[in-house]
Amino acid sequence: MGSKGALTCYTWEEIKKRCTRDERWLVINRKVYDITRFVNVHPGGPRVISHYAGQDATDPFTAFHIDQEMVKKRMCCLLIGELAPGEPSVEPCKDAAMVEDFRTLRTAVEQMGLFRPSKIFFFVALLHIILLDVLAYATLYYGGTSFIPLLVTALLLGTVQAQAGWLQHDFGHLSVFSRSLWNHIAHKFVIGQLKGAPASWWNHLHFQHHAKPNCFRKDPDINMHPLLFALGKKLSVELGMKKKKYMPYNHQHKYFFLIGPPALIPVYFQWYIFYFAIQRKQWVDLAWMISFYVRFGLCYIPFLGVSGTIAMFMLVRFIESNWFVWVTQMNHIPMNIDYDQNKEWLSTQLQATCNVDQSLFNDWFSGHLNFQIEHHLFPTMPRHNYWKAAPLVRSLCNKYGIEYQSKPLFTAFADIVHSLRESGELWLDAYLHK
């Protein structure tokens, strides 16, 4: 503040420099906030807000918060200044017209009521998950423990886990209730009691992904580069030129089938979620998680014994893992992967995401994440409204020459493998010849 209470004025160049561990500033609607100490108590986690240090965070702030006025009031203590009168509202590195047009589009979809959820839709989604869970139990209860009933039970429970994953995703993004608190409570129940995972873990990872999708060192979903995979054309060439080889990347499109879909959840996530909850002292999340395992054991140990129940559980996680990885990676792995370029919200999301064609099956199978573009642009929008926003988004993309990709489901699956093969070959060429 100035001597008379007036806000101190800053330039974009001054703000750009405040992105270190010792000093972190960001801009929201021309106001400058010092988040250096706040990052450690930020409800969304320290990393997601830190990813915008030295940058304009207006659009992600709008995208992630459903009660912006309340949040702004709480941020008053962080306010240290504003942009100087001569400074543009949009960072010089961004297309101001595109930024303004996207904000106009967001206002339009808000006025169309596309952020208003259908409570019936989400009730039916929850009800069908519970019914499938009951049906899985009933299959063993009435069908016995021969091979066919066991297989049917595993498939039903795998479906329960996948569909509960999409539903917890809705609550985690605050897209079901108008109050954040109710979304958070429901989120802990669905991910904790129905899936056995901590809500805090999901929040920590997933919001970073949305803030900077496919940005190396900022999006945790691509942290498998370079330890397991060489991702993206540019990063793969860079890795090869540095003569780094942690894995035989030119064969990654083959070993993806061994350490990707089958192993992510049962081998890695299964132990890491407990480590995360305990290490961060998330005791409420841990209690919800334990309630899931107690319920699962009480249901199936009488039929299968302890070892049989553990085997059933791992088979269910195996099914879930394959379902989860193919759906979540089909929209991102084939897209551009690079360091953070600090581009417009629209272009940042479109270069990192693509859609899968709409159908009743695709909508159900992916939890409407076949509309990944609309979901990334408007993460708090209820998923049953994505299709209504899609034509408007496509029109805006056409105006600025941004490619809006939508593919058949199995083409999207195949593109994961094709992109891994291509980036692996680029790595090998750079490794041997550059």
Side-chain angles (χ1 to χ4, degrees), residues 125-149:
L126 176 61
L127 182 62
H128 107 283
I129 291 168
I130 294 174
L131 288 176
L132 288 172
D133 211 349
V134 172
L135 183 59
Y137 176 82
T139 299
L140 283 190
Y141 186 86
Y142 292 105
T145 57
S146 59
F147 177 75
I148 295 300

Side-chain angles (χ1 to χ4, degrees), residues 159-202:
T159 303
V160 166
Q161 288 304 300
Q163 292 299 319
W166 311 144
L167 184 60
Q168 67 83 22
H169 181 263
D170 297 316
F171 290 115
H173 276 295
L174 313 180
S175 61
V176 180
F177 297 109
S178 58
R179 292 185 60 193
S180 297
L181 176 62
W182 289 110
N183 283 295
H184 289 313
I185 292 172
H187 187 212
K188 288 182 181 296
F189 166 74
V190 175
I191 195 173
Q193 163 53 219
L194 298 186
K195 289 189 62 61
S200 53
W201 163 74
W202 184 90

Side-chain angles (χ1 to χ4, degrees), residues 212-218 222 225 234-236 238-239 242 336-343 348 351:
K212 294 290 184 178
N214 280 13
C215 291
F216 184 47
R217 303 192 190 284
K218 290 192 174 183
I222 58 171
H225 174 95
K234 180 178 178 180
L235 296 182
S236 297
E238 177 186 80
L239 199 64
K242 292 180 178 178
N336 182 62
I337 299 175
D338 201 350
Y339 294 95
D340 181 15
Q341 301 297 314
N342 190 23
K343 304 299 290 182
T348 293
Q351 72 178 359

Side-chain angles (χ1 to χ4, degrees), residues 161-419:
Q161 288 304 300
Q163 292 299 319
W166 311 144
L167 184 60
Q168 67 83 22
H169 181 263
D170 297 316
F171 290 115
H173 276 295
L174 313 180
S175 61
V176 180
F177 297 109
S178 58
R179 292 185 60 193
S180 297
L181 176 62
W182 289 110
N183 283 295
H184 289 313
I185 292 172
H187 187 212
K188 288 182 181 296
F189 166 74
V190 175
I191 195 173
Q193 163 53 219
L194 298 186
K195 289 189 62 61
S200 53
W201 163 74
W202 184 90
N203 292 336
H204 171 74
L205 295 177
H206 196 66
F207 288 136
Q208 291 184 69
H209 163 68
H210 270 269
K212 294 290 184 178
N214 280 13
C215 291
F216 184 47
R217 303 192 190 284
K218 290 192 174 183
D219 179 359
D221 283 11
I222 58 171
N223 279 349
M224 50 192 155
H225 174 95
L227 185 60
L228 297 178
F229 299 99
L231 300 178
K233 297 177 182 179
K234 180 178 178 180
L235 296 182
S236 297
V237 171
E238 177 186 80
L239 199 64
M241 292 177 67
K242 292 180 178 178
K243 309 304 178 185
K244 292 186 177 181
K245 181 183 180 181
Y246 301 102
M247 294 284 283
Y249 302 120
N250 50 311
H251 296 290
Q252 63 184 3
H253 59 290
K254 301 171 186 175
Y255 65 72
F256 170 76
F257 290 93
L258 298 176
I259 65 174
L264 181 65
I265 292 177
V267 175
Y268 177 64
F269 280 176
Q270 190 55 50
W271 70 267
Y272 183 73
I273 55 177
F274 279 94
Y275 168 79
F276 183 95
I278 295 171
Q279 192 264 338
R280 298 184 180 237
K281 300 179 180 179
Q282 298 291 335
W283 308 126
V284 174
D285 282 348
L286 186 62
W288 277 115
M289 292 167 63
I290 292 172
S291 74
F292 164 79
Y293 292 98
V294 169
R295 175 175 62 86
F296 194 92
L298 289 175
C299 286
Y300 295 104
I301 288 176
F303 298 112
L304 305 174
V306 174
S307 59
T309 299
I310 293 173
M312 171 65 76
F313 176 79
M314 296 307 295
L315 178 58
V316 170
R317 287 298 192 218
F318 173 83
I319 295 170
E320 175 195 5
S321 188
N322 279 273
W323 195 328
F324 172 82
V325 172
W326 285 105
V327 169
T328 57
Q329 298 309 306
M330 68 184 181
N331 307 103
H332 297 296
I333 290 296
M335 304 302 290
N336 182 62
I337 299 175
D338 201 350
Y339 294 95
D340 181 15
Q341 301 297 314
N342 190 23
K343 304 299 290 182
E344 307 83 9
W345 183 252
L346 180 69
S347 58
T348 293
Q349 303 301 331
L350 264 293
Q351 72 178 359
T353 57
C354 66
N355 280 5
V356 168
D357 297 342
Q358 183 183 24
S359 71
L360 288 175
F361 175 78
N362 288 354
D363 290 354
W364 174 82
F365 183 76
S366 68
H368 289 84
L369 294 182
N370 50 325
F371 287 98
Q372 192 74 212
I373 292 172
E374 287 69 32
H375 171 58
H376 266 256
L377 291 175
F378 312 110
T380 61
M381 180 181 287
R383 58 166 140 144
H384 52 75
N385 286 334
Y386 293 155
W387 68 275
K388 298 178 184 178
L392 301 177
V393 173
R394 188 186 290 269
S395 177
L396 184 58
C397 290
N398 290 338
K399 178 178 179 179
Y400 287 97
I402 299 175
E403 186 178 11
Y404 181 106
Q405 293 190 41
S406 186
K407 313 170 183 178
L409 180 64
F410 288 102
T411 299
F413 288 165
D415 281 349
I416 298 174
V417 182
H418 294 158
S419 64

